[in-house]
Amino acid sequence: MKYALITGANKGIGYEAAQQLLQAGYFVFLGSRDAAKGQQAQQQLQAAGLDQVQAVELDVTNDESVQRAVAVVRQRTPQLDALLNNAGIPSNLAHQPSTIPLGAIEALLATNYYGVVRTTQAFLPLLRAAPRACIVNVSSSIGSLALQADPTWEYYQVKPVAYTTSKAMVNAWTICLAYELRDTAIKVNSVNPGYTATDFTGHQGHSPPHAAQVLVKYATLPPDGPTGQFFSEDGPTPW
């Protein structure tokens, strides 16, 4: 059996990705900052006949929480075949680069960037123990510097400064980590699930199951799959 852990998995895209990986035969750990919500998500999946699932309390902004989650996973398996860094928070669209409070940027980075780094570093020994493994860093086209600088891009006027910065940093870290792991059996990619109907978007956009498909695709890559790249459902995305 293969094992996957998804952060922010109690709802939205993370929950749907968990369901699809379960259907593909994976055992899935549902990382959730709120333990009760994680348990509720686990029960919903089990009620649907998807039994190989376990909720894990995991706050990506807290070192002790992440280390406890690692210990929980180790109790069941010595390896992890996929890590989906999905947990994230949105930013205030009204903030302007010249006036945004530093605290607002720090709050976004704590979850969207430092949380990704912290969680990946903590679970990397388990990923290294797998015959091959995939790390999916959930990003956004909003974090593409090339697109943000292109006046012809359809979302050119959308400039949530803290969120854009956090996802651009995730993309840069993806490149660096993939390079470090280039001679291992671990694939590392940034993946943009697209404009999805979640709490982030006021439930506008395509469905979470649709968005989850692209995450699952890059969480289950073959041995010759790509690494150090940025993808959406349409293929490669410019950095």
Side-chain angles (χ1 to χ4, degrees), residues 7-33:
T7 65
N10 60 278
K11 64 179 181 178
I13 300 172
Y15 178 86
E16 297 297 339
Q19 183 164 251
Q20 292 176 25
L21 284 169
L22 286 164
Q23 291 167 342
Y26 279 68
F27 186 102
V28 178
F29 296 98
L30 304 174
S32 176
R33 182 175 57 182

Side-chain angles (χ1 to χ4, degrees), residues 18 40 57 75 111 129 151 159 164 178 184 206 221 224 229 234-235:
Q40 183 179 18
E57 185 175 0
Q75 289 175 358
T111 297
K159 296 280 190 290
T164 297
T184 74
H206 58 219
L221 288 171
D224 60 349
Q229 303 296 315
D234 299 321

Side-chain angles (χ1 to χ4, degrees), residues 40-59:
Q40 183 179 18
Q42 175 182 325
Q43 292 166 6
Q44 290 172 346
L45 290 165
Q46 290 174 330
L50 300 170
D51 297 326
Q52 301 299 313
V53 59
Q54 180 179 348
V56 179
E57 185 175 0
L58 200 171
D59 179 352

Side-chain angles (χ1 to χ4, degrees), residues 6-15 84-89 116 136-138 167 193 200 215:
I6 307 172
T7 65
N10 60 278
K11 64 179 181 178
I13 300 172
Y15 178 86
L84 285 72
N85 287 308
N86 170 72
I89 57 176
V116 171
V136 172
N137 295 326
V138 178
K167 291 303 184 182
F200 271 36
L215 302 191

Side-chain angles (χ1 to χ4, degrees), residues 110-168:
T111 297
N112 294 4
Y113 177 63
Y114 295 126
V116 171
V117 176
R118 176 182 291 109
T119 303
T120 303
Q121 289 178 343
F123 281 98
L124 197 53
L126 286 165
L127 292 158
R128 288 184 182 274
R132 64 177 188 269
C134 296
I135 298 171
V136 172
N137 295 326
V138 178
S139 187
S140 169
S141 59
I142 295 295
S144 165
L145 300 184
L147 292 176
Q148 283 286 5
D150 182 359
T152 67
W153 183 44
E154 61 179 322
Y155 300 115
Y156 179 67
Q157 294 182 335
V158 181
K159 296 280 190 290
V161 57
Y163 188 78
T164 297
T165 301
S166 71
K167 291 303 184 182

